[in-house]
Amino acid sequence: MQVSSDYVGSIYGGLAHLLYAYYEHKGVEIPKKLKDIQNVDRFDYVIWRDLLVALDQQLQRPGLGLEIAALVQPKHLGILAYVVLSCETLGDALMRYHDYHRLVYDGTPLQVSVQDDFLSIAWDEIPFNMTAQITDEIAIALMMEFLKSILDIQDIRLKEIHFQHQSAKHTLVYEQYFRCKVRFGQAKTQVLMAVSELNRPLKKGDQTLQQLLRQQAEALLEQLPNTRPADHRLQQAILTGLQKNMFQIEHIAKQMNMSVRQLQRHLQMQGKTYQQRMQEIRCMMATEYLKDANLSLQEIALLLGYSEQSAFQRAFKQWTKLTPQQWRIQNSLTL
């Protein structure tokens, strides 16, 4: 699907934290525009582009996007990181990255295809005038840092990297980073790697987490009271939406083939608002996740759709009068 010329995507709030961390790391004065998006779940792609371009013009460092991406941690990518961590092979991880990528970086949708014996991962739908070299390079570098640092694949063998924007200078910086030929001024921004790489096993594949993600919704639905089909569908839609970080009422209503107003009226008949219903399900999921000692509070916060652990902790205390740590300690004695 082609996007229109006035396309404006959105960026996961965790990337604002990543950029903030880079400013702190370099001791550069943090702009107000970046401070203003530190407590939002998502923000406009144009803000992301403008912040990166302004920093690029200020520092004039070749490969700046590569430096920023080097600081990435799972928390900066949200649920995407924890879903991909559950994969067993590089091929599985890349497909999951493709499936969930737009939850994090909606400004540059991914296209995956096979060309001869090579896999192409391309960023070519966004209008050229909406991008800059730094937005393209950080999109690729984030994926590569994720594979190298988070999935622990240090020797990924790439064939070539292509960038749309012209950059005749400092090509060596990019080729040293990607360890392959890098071409500028190409038809589309893409990564090319051998198809044979897809079978490589991941050292950090976490099947326990994958099983948890798959079974959690059904396990929790069994605890909910028997309700009308519409209520059951609503509960299931919210559970699924939280795991995909797409739980806003507009998304949920669309899944149920309802308008937002119809969904609101349905809930009003039960004396509830959408926010109240979602928080009830979040609370149930939180207590289930807390029973698993392998999940950190940061991971649980992300699985529940919170970009910050502190926001989850405040919400949990409102629900239970306990902090997550207190609840976990008390209930570990009875598990």
Side-chain angles (χ1 to χ4, degrees):
M1 181 181 69
Q2 293 296 314
V3 294
S4 63
S5 59
D6 60 351
Y7 170 83
V8 177
S10 64
I11 299 294
Y12 177 59
L15 289 190
H17 304 155
L18 171 63
L19 188 56
Y20 194 99
Y22 181 82
Y23 269 90
E24 289 189 317
H25 179 67
K26 291 298 182 181
V28 180
E29 183 178 357
I30 300 168
K32 181 179 183 301
K33 184 182 289 188
L34 180 56
K35 292 179 180 178
D36 289 343
I37 57 172
Q38 289 305 300
N39 295 312
V40 299
D41 290 331
R42 303 192 72 82
F43 58 95
D44 287 347
Y45 167 78
V46 172
I47 295 176
W48 174 248
R49 181 201 62 188
D50 291 349
L51 282 168
L52 290 175
V53 169
L55 181 61
D56 193 26
Q57 293 173 346
Q58 178 183 355
L59 299 183
Q60 297 186 10
R61 296 174 62 86
L64 175 60
L66 313 181
E67 293 184 7
I68 296 170
L71 300 178
V72 71
Q73 299 176 30
K75 65 181 181 180
H76 297 133
L77 299 179
I79 189 67
L80 169 66
Y82 296 99
V83 171
V84 175
L85 275 169
S86 68
C87 296
E88 293 184 331
T89 67
L90 177 58
D92 291 340
L94 286 174
M95 288 310 299
R96 289 297 183 106
Y97 198 92
H98 168 268
D99 292 343
Y100 290 96
H101 176 263
R102 294 186 72 173
L103 296 181
V104 174
Y105 206 101
D106 194 35
T108 50
L110 287 179
Q111 290 185 339
V112 177
S113 60
V114 176
Q115 303 174 3
D116 298 324
D117 294 328
F118 295 96
L119 181 77
S120 166
I121 305 172
W123 292 256
D124 67 340
E125 287 190 353
I126 189 167
F128 183 78
N129 64 347
M130 291 287 289
T131 68
Q133 172 59 29
I134 188 170
T135 63
D136 288 350
E137 70 186 49
I138 199 171
I140 294 181
L142 279 172
M143 184 182 74
M144 298 308 300
E145 287 295 334
F146 180 82
L147 296 176
K148 289 191 298 183
S149 302
I150 299 175
L151 295 183
D152 200 18
I153 304 178
Q154 297 298 320
D155 58 339
I156 301 172
R157 293 179 288 273
L158 303 179
K159 180 179 183 288
E160 289 185 0
I161 298 289
H162 292 179
F163 288 111
Q164 284 184 291
H165 290 269
Q166 295 283 354
S167 181
K169 298 179 181 180
H170 310 297
T171 300
L172 185 60
V173 171
Y174 296 91
E175 293 188 339
Q176 288 177 338
Y177 174 85
F178 291 111
R179 291 187 291 179
C180 69
K181 182 68 177 179
V182 177
R183 302 181 187 275
F184 296 89
Q186 301 299 299
K188 59 184 177 182
T189 296
Q190 66 174 333
V191 175
L192 293 172
M193 71 172 67
V195 172
S196 58
E197 287 284 284
L198 302 182
N199 294 322
R200 295 183 60 181
L202 303 184
K203 297 179 182 179
K204 294 186 178 180
D206 187 344
Q207 289 305 300
T208 300
L209 178 58
Q210 175 68 0
Q211 186 177 13
L212 175 67
L213 290 171
R214 288 179 176 177
Q215 294 180 352
Q216 194 66 47
E218 289 302 322
L220 289 172
L221 284 174
E222 291 177 2
Q223 300 178 24
L224 296 172
N226 293 325
T227 56
R228 291 175 295 177
D231 296 312
H232 185 85
R233 287 195 301 119
L234 173 60
Q235 293 160 1
Q236 192 165 39
I238 293 174
L239 287 168
T240 303
L242 284 170
Q243 292 185 349
K244 294 181 178 181
N245 199 25
M246 297 178 68
F247 53 84
Q248 294 79 8
I249 190 171
E250 294 82 5
H251 292 296
I252 302 303
K254 185 176 180 181
Q255 286 185 48
M256 298 180 68
N257 296 316
M258 300 171 69
S259 69
V260 171
R261 184 59 188 147
Q262 286 174 321
L263 178 53
Q264 289 172 332
R265 282 200 300 265
H266 172 76
L267 289 164
Q268 285 171 359
M269 292 174 63
Q270 302 175 13
K272 293 183 182 291
T273 65
Y274 174 74
Q275 187 69 16
Q276 288 171 332
R277 195 71 193 94
M278 183 183 66
Q279 295 296 67
E280 288 175 356
I281 293 176
R282 265 180 161 166
C283 180
M284 293 177 63
M285 293 182 73
T287 56
E288 288 299 311
Y289 287 140
L290 285 167
K291 293 176 185 177
D292 189 332
N294 294 315
L295 288 175
S296 70
L297 296 185
Q298 177 66 44
E299 290 169 334
I300 293 171
L302 292 170
L303 290 170
L304 293 175
Y306 293 101
S307 59
E308 286 294 316
Q309 179 180 323
S310 58
F312 161 57
Q313 290 176 308
R314 287 194 299 271
F316 191 85
K317 191 163 186 179
Q318 289 178 344
W319 301 331
T320 67
K321 309 304 180 185
L322 298 171
T323 66
Q325 298 95 322
Q326 290 169 337
W327 191 96
R328 179 171 259 174
I329 292 170
Q330 287 189 14
N331 286 271
S332 66
L333 302 177
T334 59
L335 293 178

